[in-house]
Structures are given as structure tokens and as C-alpha cells.
Amino acid sequence: MKLAIIGTGYVGLVTGACFAELGHQVLCVDNDTAKVELLRSGGLPIYEPGLEGIVARNVQAGRLAFSSEIADAVAQAEVIFIAVPTPPLPDGSVDLSFIEGVAREIAAHLTAYRIVVDKSTVPVKTGEKVAETIRRYSKARVEFDVVSNPEFLREGFAVEDLMRPDRIVIGVQSPRPVLAMREIYAPLEAPMVVTDINSAELIKHAANSFLALKISYINAVAALCEASGANVQEVANGIGLDQRIGRRFLDAGIGFGGSCFPKDLSAFIKIAETLGYDFRLLKEVQQINAQQMDRFLRKIADTLWVIKDKRLGVLGLAFKQNTDDVRMSPAIELCRRLLAEGARLRVHDPRAMAKARALLPPGPTVEYVDERDAVAEGCDALVIATEWPEFKELDLERARRALTHPILFDGRNLFDREEMERLGWVYKSVGR
Ligand code: UDX
């Protein structure tokens, strides 16, 4: 089928490239002409494992192209996906101005039946407003359908999550677009939930908030484990084997971040408020997440006594493993808090150092270290802030020799506590 994706960010570009990989003819549109030029010249504006090969292969095969004109999308594609940002506003509500702008521009170019699919994460009842907007701004009495098709892509695993989804969610106002949506996703052979638009939109916020709740729950249990001498990883394994609970998203750490969970949680609380419900449970999920960082910093202060003028090696800047994204990164927040206490940092991240430079103060208080095993040189302690699997391969012997004292704060429980203590480390982690 002929498809168009408007917005070439983490969601739009991955979705467009993978749709092409499935055999569809795809046009990816972005109003950032520099980004379009970069894509046309074979570059990628984001890092996602596997994405570079998929884009190159499908551009080569003529199934994937790029444009900065929405008019091209409306002219060429039967189904137009909206995948533009829906950033948070200061009061926690969602900025839908990009969605509204794209809907108006699609309407202005509509001359034949089109299916307009909202893939961006939007508050419930947005689909109705998109339909109203297209009706209001389209010239002729042209027919169209609006569909909600929320994405469940994890950054760092986006290609995998799109090509092997647990489910596809489709929200429609009429049965007409269902066939086309089934055809688009047919090669994936994944279960498809076909429901109304409001339910589809609510599924997205409800899913992300539940995942965030799981993480805050295990972080709260981690506090009890620390107070009782239990091991939160053992507890997570023990409860996670219950099929009704599941082991994933039960990894205690320094809290969740990223461009989705914090934003979607605030949005869901705000949406509930406008619908007349005070979602106190989710407010507590936010509280626990904020306290998790405080608890970890207190652990560092209790062990080092004075943080001021200490030199600390920080491993990890991205908000999670497998990504270069530093938006709302707990690792960046940790660096900022340590700098505010007067520490000097030597930092390393396999992918995110370039983007982190824009968020950390320039000058001598932060040194960027390309080689992971060199971070410890001249430092008083090491901190692990992001769960990059390669940090488990850290040369501990070299680090011990390089540090003034063998002290490691493991914010993502990457190492085995007993093993580290046997090796003579002062080892502090979360919930163990
Ligand atoms: C999330 C949802 O998983 C995805 O379905 C949705 O489409 C977008 O938002 P993402 O934000 O990319 O994806 O990352 P995710 O893997 O969910 O991790 C979010 C944060 O939670 C990261 O900071 C991660 O470090 C943290 N996390 C995750 C934990 O602290 N513990 C866990 O067990 C899992």
C-alpha cells in the first residue's frame, strides 16, 4: 500500500522504515528541511539499533523516500500517519498544536478519500478533534476517516517492538478503514485490537502509566529491602514468575526517565482531572520516582561524607540503555545534582555523550571520556547511572587501581553485590 508518515522522529522514522521493510511504499515527511536533507543523503537524525540498515535497504529498493511537503503525502498516500511531537506544557497538559497544524494542512490538500491515522501519543478525545478540524478546513465535501493507532515502541528497541509487537491497537469511528489497517499490519501476524477511538487513545496512556507504576512499585519495595536486608532482585524474580505480574519492568534503579513516561504520566493525571477524576495513585508513582533519586544521592553522600571537590566517574548519560536520547534522563539529573554539590565529573556513555554536552555545564567540572575503562582515573568513586549492558564488562581491576578508593555506586544493579564485596569494593546499589 501507499503510505505516508508525517514526522520523522523516534516514532515516525522507525514506523516508516519498518512499513517499507514490510513491502509498503512509504513517504516520510518532515517540516525540518535539514533533517529531510540528512535522510536523503543517507544520514539518520536518531540512533536506533537496526534502523540504519533498514532505511538504507528500503531507500535503495525505492520503497522509502523523504519529503518536506505534506502536500506530497496527501497526493501520493492512501493512508497518512501523523507522528509529530506532542510535548508537555508547563502545567502537565499536552501541547497539541503540532497535531492541529498537520490536520489543517492535510485538510487543505484533501481531494480524494484518505485515512488519517494518529500515531502520536495524544489525550483521549483528540481523534474527534482531528476529524472536526479536517472537516472544517477541507475545501470540498471530500470523504476521509480518522483512526487512532497508538505506538508502543521502546526507545533502543523500537525496530524490534514494531516488527514483533505484542498487539496492534486500532481505534475507528466507522468500519470503513479497518480493512486497510489490517492490510498494513498483515505481514506482522500480531493480534489486532479494533475498538473505538477514545478507547484506543486511553489504552496508550493507561499502558505507559501502568509500566511506570510497576517501576515505582519495585523501587518502593527496594526501600523496604534495604531496610530489612532483603534483596530486591530476588523479590522481583519471585513475584515476576507469577504470570499475572510478569518479571519485566521490575528492575529497581534510580528511577524512570525519558521522553515518554514522565510526560505520559503527567498527561494522564491531567486528562483524569479534566474528566473529573483525581488520579492520586499516579501522583504517588511520580513522588516515588522523584524520591528514588534523592535516596540514591543520600547513599553517595553517606558513603563519601563530603561530595564537594570530590571527582566522580559517572558511567551512563542516556535515559536508558541502547539509546542516545538524554531527554529527562535520570543520569543527567544525577550529574546535575552531583555538580550542584560541588563534585567534578568524568563521564562516559557509549552513545549519548554528544547530546549530553548540550545539557551539562561547559567547562572543567565535566570531562567527557571516550574510553569506558579510563573514566575511573583520578576519581574518588564510580557511579553507574544507565543500564548499558557493556558496563558489566568494566575492567574492575583497572578501576580499582585508578580510583583513590574502590567505591562503586551501582544505580542500576548491574553487578553482583556479594562478588563485589568479595573483591574488596565498597559497593552500594539499590534495594540490596
Ligand atoms: C516507554 C514504553 O516502554 C513504550 O512502550 C512507549 O511506547 C514509550 O515509553 P521508553 O520510554 O522508550 O518506552 O523506555 P522504557 O524502556 O520504557 O524505559 C523507560 C524508563 O524506565 C527508563 O529510564 C528505564 O531506565 C526505566 N526502567 C525501565 C526502570 O527503571 N526499570 C525497569 O524495569 C524498566
Side-chain angles (χ1 to χ4, degrees), residues 2-64:
K2 292 187 182 313
L3 310 175
I5 317 276
I6 299 172
T8 60
Y10 279 96
V11 174
L13 182 58
V14 170
T15 302
C18 290
F19 279 170
E21 183 76 358
L22 295 179
H24 299 301
Q25 189 70 34
V26 179
L27 180 70
C28 283
V29 177
D30 201 294
N31 64 4
D32 179 338
T33 48
K35 204 184 265 192
V36 174
E37 281 321 304
L38 174 69
L39 285 161
R40 280 181 171 158
S41 62
L44 284 191
I46 57 166
Y47 168 72
E48 269 294 337
L51 183 62
E52 191 165 13
I54 291 178
V55 170
R57 187 164 54 245
N58 285 281
V59 167
Q60 184 64 35
R63 280 194 298 270
L64 179 61

Side-chain angles (χ1 to χ4, degrees), residues 17 27 36-37 43 58 64 86 104 106 126 148 157 179 253 274 285 314 318-319 336 340 344 351 357 401 413 428:
L27 180 70
V36 174
E37 281 321 304
N58 285 281
L64 179 61
T86 52
R104 288 172 59 169
I106 290 172
T126 299
S148 166
F157 303 87
L179 210 57
T274 51
V285 168
V314 179
F319 81 92
R336 284 183 175 145
R344 283 168 296 153
R351 292 262 170 210
R357 282 179 188 276
R401 289 195 302 275
N413 288 346
K428 304 287 181 186

Side-chain angles (χ1 to χ4, degrees), residues 159-427:
V159 171
E160 181 186 326
D161 287 349
L162 194 137
M163 298 304 258
R164 276 183 293 288
D166 290 341
R167 78 311 197 178
I168 314 279
V169 172
I170 302 290
V172 294
Q173 291 170 314
S174 85
R176 186 173 178 185
V178 175
L179 210 57
M181 297 308 291
R182 285 194 188 282
E183 193 183 327
I184 291 170
Y185 286 104
L188 295 181
E189 293 169 359
M192 184 173 273
V193 172
V194 180
T195 181
D196 63 276
I197 287 193
N198 290 334
S199 301
E201 289 168 333
L202 214 49
I203 285 169
K204 172 67 185 177
H205 277 108
N208 260 15
S209 300
F210 186 79
L211 291 168
L213 181 146
K214 260 190 114 172
I215 295 168
S216 278
Y217 178 78
I218 201 64
N219 280 335
V221 168
L224 298 182
C225 291
E226 288 176 8
S228 63
N231 180 322
V232 73
Q233 286 177 312
E234 306 297 319
V235 172
N237 293 340
I239 63 174
L241 283 169
D242 182 326
Q243 296 298 315
R244 295 167 301 175
I245 297 175
R247 177 61 181 79
R248 295 174 65 192
F249 283 71
L250 284 178
D251 295 326
I254 56 173
F256 58 79
S259 64
C260 296
F261 281 176
K263 163 174 82 79
D264 290 353
L265 258 187
S266 307
F268 205 22
I269 290 167
K270 202 78 189 164
I271 290 162
E273 201 180 289
T274 51
L275 295 172
Y277 181 76
D278 178 8
F279 217 141
R280 292 197 305 275
L281 176 64
L282 294 185
K283 288 177 180 172
E284 187 54 28
V285 168
Q286 291 177 314
Q287 282 299 319
I288 292 170
N289 199 52
Q291 286 153 12
Q292 202 59 15
M293 180 63 70
D294 298 336
R295 293 174 58 83
F296 191 65
L297 278 155
R298 207 164 27 253
K299 203 166 285 185
I300 295 175
D302 290 351
T303 308
L304 296 183
W305 182 22
V306 173
I307 292 181
K308 187 171 173 1
D309 292 336
K310 289 281 188 337
R311 188 184 296 276
L312 301 178
V314 179
L315 289 169
L317 296 169
F319 81 92
K320 58 180 270 196
Q321 81 276 34
N322 266 11
T323 183
D324 64 350
D325 197 351
V326 290
R327 289 174 293 178
M328 298 291 284
S329 165
I332 295 288
E333 171 64 12
L334 181 64
C335 289
R336 284 183 175 145
R337 299 276 291 269
L338 291 170
L339 288 166
E341 299 280 332
R344 283 168 296 153
L345 305 180
R346 282 170 58 81
V347 300
H348 169 79
D349 187 285
R351 292 262 170 210
M353 283 205 278
K355 292 191 172 176
R357 282 179 188 276
L359 298 182
L360 292 175
T365 56
V366 183
E367 286 175 83
Y368 294 86
V369 182
D370 288 329
E371 195 212 337
R372 177 198 64 202
D373 288 325
V375 170
E377 273 154 38
C379 288
D380 299 297
L382 266 185
V383 183
I384 293 178
T386 305
E387 64 277 36
W388 281 99
E390 47 264 59
F391 290 166
K392 293 178 188 167
E393 314 310 319
L394 184 71
D395 182 338
L396 290 170
E397 263 323 296
R398 177 174 168 187
R400 266 173 68 97
R401 289 195 302 275
L403 288 167
T404 49
H405 310 283
I407 301 173
L408 174 61
F409 299 100
D410 186 354
R412 297 290 182 177
N413 288 346
L414 295 186
F415 288 92
D416 178 276
R417 195 186 108 186
E418 285 68 31
E419 170 73 8
M420 293 300 280
E421 288 174 351
R422 196 178 56 74
L423 290 172
W425 284 82
V426 173
Y427 177 73

